[in-house]
Amino acid sequence: MSTPGRTLDGAVIPAERIDTIFGSDIFSRTVMRQRLPKEVYRSLLRTIDQGDPLDPAVADVVAASMKDWAIENGASHYTHWFQPLTGQTAEKHDSLAAPDGNGGVVFNFSGSELVQGEPDASSFPSGGLRATFEARGYTAWDATSPAFLMRGDNNVTLCIPTAFVSWTGEALDTKIPLLRSVEALSQQALRVLKIFGTDKGVRRVYTTVGAEQEYFLIDRDLYYKRPDLVTSERTLFGAKPPKGQQLEDHYFGTIPPRVLAFMSEAETELYRLGVPVKTRHNEVAPGQYEIAPLFEPSHIASDHQMQIMETLKRVAPRYGLQALLHEKPFAGVNGSGKHNNWSMSTDTGVNLLDPQDDTHTNMQFLVFLVATIRAVDVHADLLRASIASAANDHRLGANEAPPAIISIFLGKMLSDILEQVGKGLPKRTIRGGTLDLGAKTLPQLPRHSGDRNRTSPFAFTGNKFEFRAVGSTASIAWPNTVLNTIVAESLDYVAGELERAVGSNPSPARLLQGVLGVLKRVIKEHKRVIFDGDNYSEEWHAEAGRRGLPNLKDSVQAFGVLRGKKNAELFKKYGVLNRSEYDSRIHIAIEKYVKQLGIEAETMVSIAKSQILPAALEHQRRTAEAIAATKAAGVAADDSTQALREFVELVSQFRTRTAEVEKLSAYHDADPAKHAAQIARELKPAMVRLREIGDALEAVVAAELWPLPSYRTLLFLK
Ligand code: ADP
Ligand code: MG
């Protein structure tokens, strides 16, 4: 929004310009302006931009126009497109054509069909909000997110972004709480602006999000030869290749031609959908890539993020590739995450986290900054829990992703200013100066005032925060809902303190004194969460312990925090989730964890028994026969006999450990939280032990007998 020319509904200018090059598949503002009567268009914009209630008469006209546009573009069906609590998107297609009663066909799409749908809610997870027989649920048109056409190989479907609620009015999706959290933050942010007298003409404050997506690409034929990848998107067995990422020669390397062809097609489809994708490059691990869009208002960014993931998956097979979005498809190789860049902006286009030139004099910025720092400190446990999942457990804390300890990186310039505030009136802003490259033909580069830190989970990066611990498969809706809510709470607190300190209509001097006093106090209380050093180091873990920062090592610990009363009340207080809506989300997260690991354990046992064991036994037989033949030829085969003995021992251990996983995975507890605890305590370690032996076998069994494509083929085939 701080970029000139941006609009709030995600129909960003780049997309509208782009449509003259790539064509457009969104019912964009340009299309609406051309097709809708002027009055209808204006009324709709009031709904989109100002949140005015939707006029039913307007809905009928918009629906008719949308239908014509869709049919002209080849659509035969329409669907309400929504994000239930599965973490994915859902759609149920209805034909746009209907019998006309005279043996012919009419194309019909009414305002009420546009505005409201009624999918059967009983088959979506509700986490106890609804019993199976309580089926009624509604989808409601979200006019602020543009309708789009989904193009399949021989089909086009009109998709209408919607919110999904139960008949009781409780949110059954990820979008409604996200929108509510923005509203909560907006109200509190406006209070702060009012204190500074900068609220003139500002109706709302939005949060802005740009999420960078990492993913792997592998050959699709190989993918189908790995049941573990097919069922759980991660390899459950697989010995490390001799060449991993030690050379770090993949990062930003030349993009392989087949991959580049895939990327171009995926990007073209995304442009057509109005998703402003901007960057693409090779990531650190072999076979790993990244795609990043420009930032947008958070609920649009969240819709678009889902479309990015779906488009990567949909387009890859056309190039014989399979896109893996899992957080850790390959052990011993870097996993994938999603960097969630986040800021706050007024609807007049002011980025509230932009420090500007003389940052030390920019008190309003410092208030928003310090309120965010306080939010992250007070609610570190909740923020950590917002990104907990079975898959993300493989990544957080390993030296490739931020640790599970939440801390903030500020950089030299801001740390220095906060230190100055601690002492009184800040007097200076450290500047970066320029970088002289020592060669006359090269330009002088303006330099940032501090270096970057890529080990921090929550880093200030110039004019936004980057939350780096989000998992690559996760929907960004929930982590952003949490972020918005905790910052709303913190702004509420800080605004209250400021209002008390400065009163109404303060003089500039009183305002400055009041603000400095509040800042000083809040910084003192919460600076323990700021850490500019190496988050991967052991010293930091010890230091964080001394500072009393929470360290929730895995998802099961994080789920425990979510269940705490303090957090449930926070969401209730700010109108984001009522108690049962909140409980349902926790229930679903835990259930998903249990199911995911259950599937993995079962798949592991099946691969062990039906693929690895037969291969190992065949290898054993061949070896034994070779030894017998050698002996029969009159040559002693002593060391081969010893090697065979060791191999037989390995196979026997493999059997024992397979049985162990099988037994532990048969456990059941009606309470999913207890079941999850058993998994973390017993099943997961048993799976690690089984894998160890499986990978040891891979290293010695004849390559031609090994039933699974190796890491080497998976990762280095371009
Ligand atoms: P990196 O160097 O980490 O790859 P970039 O500087 O390229 O990051 O930006 C990453 C993302 O941050 C992009 O999606 C960009 O649009 C987004 N971004 C930039 N400004 C803001 C902002 N004010 N609010 C939210 N996201 C932003
Ligand atoms: Mg980044």
Side-chain angles (χ1 to χ4, degrees):
M1 276 185 300
S2 61
T3 314
R6 262 171 182 277
T7 59
L8 292 177
D9 71 343
V12 285
I13 296 302
E16 305 230 341
R17 290 275 310 283
I18 281 165
D19 67 13
T20 58
I21 306 168
F22 297 102
S24 171
D25 283 333
I26 55 172
F27 196 62
S28 65
R29 286 179 187 232
T30 315
V31 177
M32 289 195 282
R33 203 169 41 239
Q34 285 161 358
R35 289 178 173 255
L36 293 174
K38 207 181 267 166
E39 269 323 300
V40 171
Y41 178 61
R42 285 210 188 113
S43 164
L44 186 61
L45 282 198
R46 280 197 297 276
T47 299
I48 293 173
D49 290 340
Q50 295 164 33
D52 284 5
L54 186 76
D55 177 349
V58 163
D60 273 327
V61 183
V62 176
S65 157
M66 204 186 265
K67 173 205 70 188
D68 290 345
W69 168 78
I71 289 172
E72 284 163 32
N73 282 285
S76 58
H77 287 66
Y78 77 93
T79 179
H80 279 197
W81 185 80
F82 56 104
Q83 291 155 44
L85 299 172
T86 52
Q88 271 148 21
T89 60
E91 50 198 69
K92 174 190 152 222
H93 299 193
D94 276 302
S95 175
L96 287 163
D100 69 356
N102 297 316
V105 151
V106 284
F107 289 98
N108 251 334
F109 186 50
S110 67
S112 59
E113 284 169 310
L114 166 66
V115 170
Q116 184 174 359
E118 197 195 322
D120 182 340
S122 62
S123 300
F124 293 105
S126 74
L129 274 179
R130 311 242 61 202
T132 314
F133 64 93
E134 297 172 317
R136 207 178 283 278
Y138 301 109
T139 48
W141 180 33
D142 172 12
T144 66
S145 187
F148 59 92
L149 299 174
M150 189 168 47
R151 289 184 186 275
D153 286 338
N154 62 356
N155 51 76
V156 181
T157 308
L158 167 64
C159 296
I160 296 149
T162 54
F164 183 37
V165 290
S166 102
W167 176 79
T168 55
E170 274 149 343
L172 288 175
D173 70 352
T174 59
K175 174 177 265 193
I176 297 172
L178 178 60
L179 288 169
R180 291 179 187 157
S181 72
V182 175
E183 208 49 56
L185 181 139
S186 179
Q187 280 176 24
Q188 304 306 331
L190 286 173
R191 278 171 71 196
V192 174
L193 296 182
K194 188 146 182 268
I195 294 165
F196 285 99
T198 48
D199 59 329
K200 306 273 167 330
V202 177
R203 276 187 305 257
R204 307 167 83 172
V205 169
Y206 288 81
T207 54
T208 50
V209 169
E212 307 159 54
Q213 172 79 45
E214 293 176 337
Y215 62 98
F216 280 86
L217 288 173
I218 59 167
D219 193 272
R220 196 160 158 88
D221 289 340
L222 298 177
Y223 166 79
Y224 278 115
K225 294 197 175 110
R226 301 261 343 191
D228 45 3
L229 284 178
V230 174
T231 60
S232 30
E233 267 226 348
R234 90 179 174 95
T235 52
L236 299 165
F237 290 102
K240 270 177 224 151
K243 178 181 186 282
Q245 62 198 54
Q246 300 91 333
L247 295 174
E248 302 210 334
D249 51 358
H250 186 71
Y251 190 57
F252 281 15
T254 312
I255 302 176
R258 174 156 68 140
V259 172
L260 191 54
F262 151 75
M263 285 176 168
S264 304
E265 182 160 338
E267 283 167 12
T268 304
E269 293 215 350
L270 287 164
Y271 289 146
R272 292 179 63 96
L273 291 170
V275 182
V277 282
K278 168 97 170 138
T279 38
R280 59 183 179 207
H281 61 79
N282 286 6
E283 257 301 326
V284 174
Q288 193 185 26
Y289 305 91
E290 179 180 302
I291 182 168
L294 288 169
F295 70 96
E296 302 175 274
S298 50
H299 69 289
I300 305 292
S302 166
D303 280 2
H304 282 170
Q305 229 294 301
M306 300 309 288
Q307 291 179 319
I308 288 178
M309 292 197 281
E310 286 167 6
T311 305
L312 293 176
K313 287 262 179 207
R314 194 177 60 243
V315 176
R318 295 180 201 155
Y319 293 86
L321 295 165
Q322 178 70 27
L324 302 176
L325 302 177
H326 193 280
E327 282 74 358
K328 193 74 176 176
F330 305 101
V333 174
N334 265 14
S336 302
K338 193 134 50 190
H339 288 177
N340 190 86
N341 296 274
W342 175 95
S343 189
M344 297 171 265
S345 173
T346 65
D347 59 353
T348 50
V350 179
N351 178 355
L352 298 171
L353 287 177
D354 183 352
Q356 292 162 2
D357 278 346
D358 286 316
T359 309
H360 66 287
T361 63
N362 189 349
M363 290 299 138
Q364 180 178 298
F365 161 76
L366 291 175
V367 166
F368 280 101
L369 177 77
V370 166
T372 309
I373 294 170
R374 181 188 169 279
V376 173
D377 185 34
V378 173
H379 305 285
D381 55 347
L382 182 54
L383 196 57
R384 159 67 181 94
S386 76
I387 43 134
S389 70
N392 219 10
D393 277 352
H394 296 289
R395 215 171 62 92
L396 298 182
N399 276 359
E400 54 164 69
I405 306 165
I406 299 287
S407 68
I408 297 180
F409 170 84
L410 283 185
K412 207 158 103 194
M413 185 270 277
L414 290 181
S415 292
D416 176 63
I417 291 177
L418 295 197
E419 220 166 89
Q420 293 180 59
V421 172
K423 295 184 190 128
L425 183 67
K427 302 242 160 44
R428 57 161 193 176
T429 300
I430 296 178
R431 308 210 184 265
T434 53
L435 210 54
D436 187 345
L437 304 185
K440 284 210 180 78
T441 51
L442 293 175
Q444 299 252 317
L445 296 181
R447 195 169 78 147
H448 293 88
S449 57
D451 206 345
R452 289 176 68 116
N453 178 326
R454 61 180 197 94
T455 67
S456 175
F458 204 83
F460 190 79
T461 50
N463 56 4
K464 62 188 185 289
F465 277 102
E466 185 172 17
F467 184 27
R468 300 204 179 109
V470 183
S472 50
T473 44
S475 149
I476 58 169
W478 176 238
N480 282 296
T481 302
V482 169
L483 196 48
N484 295 341
T485 309
I486 64 176
V487 175
E489 185 279 333
S490 198
L491 285 169
D492 181 7
Y493 171 83
V494 171
E497 293 292 292
L498 288 173
E499 283 157 2
R500 253 192 302 286
V502 307
S504 52
N505 285 325
S507 67
R510 170 128 196 250
L511 180 64
L512 181 62
Q513 271 336 94
V515 169
L516 280 175
V518 171
L519 284 178
K520 190 173 161 181
R521 211 165 49 243
V522 179
I523 291 168
K524 184 154 177 268
E525 268 169 47
H526 301 287
K527 67 174 180 217
R528 64 173 190 160
V529 76
I530 299 168
F531 178 65
D532 282 3
D534 180 1
N535 287 253
Y536 294 174
S537 69
E538 275 177 30
E539 296 87 74
W540 169 235
H541 284 246
E543 168 67 17
R546 280 192 293 278
R547 294 190 191 182
L549 300 179
N551 183 3
L552 303 168
K553 292 205 173 75
D554 65 13
S555 293
V556 172
Q557 289 187 21
F559 296 148
V561 161
L562 282 177
R563 285 148 66 97
K565 198 163 161 223
K566 158 193 150 219
N567 291 327
E569 275 166 8
L570 173 76
F571 287 100
K572 184 158 165 242
K573 178 168 179 196
Y574 292 94
V576 177
L577 292 167
N578 67 26
R579 184 68 207 230
S580 46
E581 287 173 327
Y582 180 68
D583 287 346
S584 74
R585 266 110 191 126
I586 303 170
H587 189 90
I588 288 165
I590 299 177
E591 227 173 29
K592 187 169 170 196
Y593 176 91
V594 169
K595 282 188 188 152
Q596 217 162 335
L597 275 147
I599 292 171
E600 287 185 5
E602 240 175 77
T603 308
M604 206 171 183
V605 168
S606 134
I607 294 175
K609 284 184 171 172
S610 68
Q611 294 189 271
I612 296 183
L613 197 58
L617 291 175
E618 173 60 14
H619 182 79
Q620 187 175 306
R621 190 185 62 78
R622 279 194 195 177
T623 315
E625 279 177 13
I627 293 172
T630 313
K631 280 188 181 155
V635 182
D638 292 349
D639 59 342
S640 315
T641 312
Q642 180 55 23
L644 178 60
R645 226 176 254 123
E646 283 165 18
F647 185 80
V648 171
E649 173 55 25
L650 208 55
V651 173
S652 150
Q653 274 186 34
F654 188 71
R655 270 209 199 86
T656 316
R657 294 189 184 187
T658 305
E660 196 188 5
V661 170
E662 192 165 20
K663 180 162 163 268
L664 289 169
S665 68
Y667 174 92
H668 181 75
D669 196 309
D671 177 356
K674 288 209 183 108
H675 194 169
Q678 180 267 352
I679 287 174
R681 204 176 48 239
E682 296 173 13
L683 179 59
K684 274 180 72 178
M687 288 167 71
V688 171
R689 286 195 297 272
L690 173 57
R691 177 174 186 146
E692 252 165 40
I693 307 287
D695 293 356
L697 284 171
E698 183 179 349
V700 287
V701 169
E704 59 162 353
L705 294 177
W706 195 254
L708 304 167
S710 69
Y711 270 25
R712 196 187 54 229
T713 18
L714 287 170
L715 290 168
F716 293 100
L717 194 113
K718 312 252 154 103

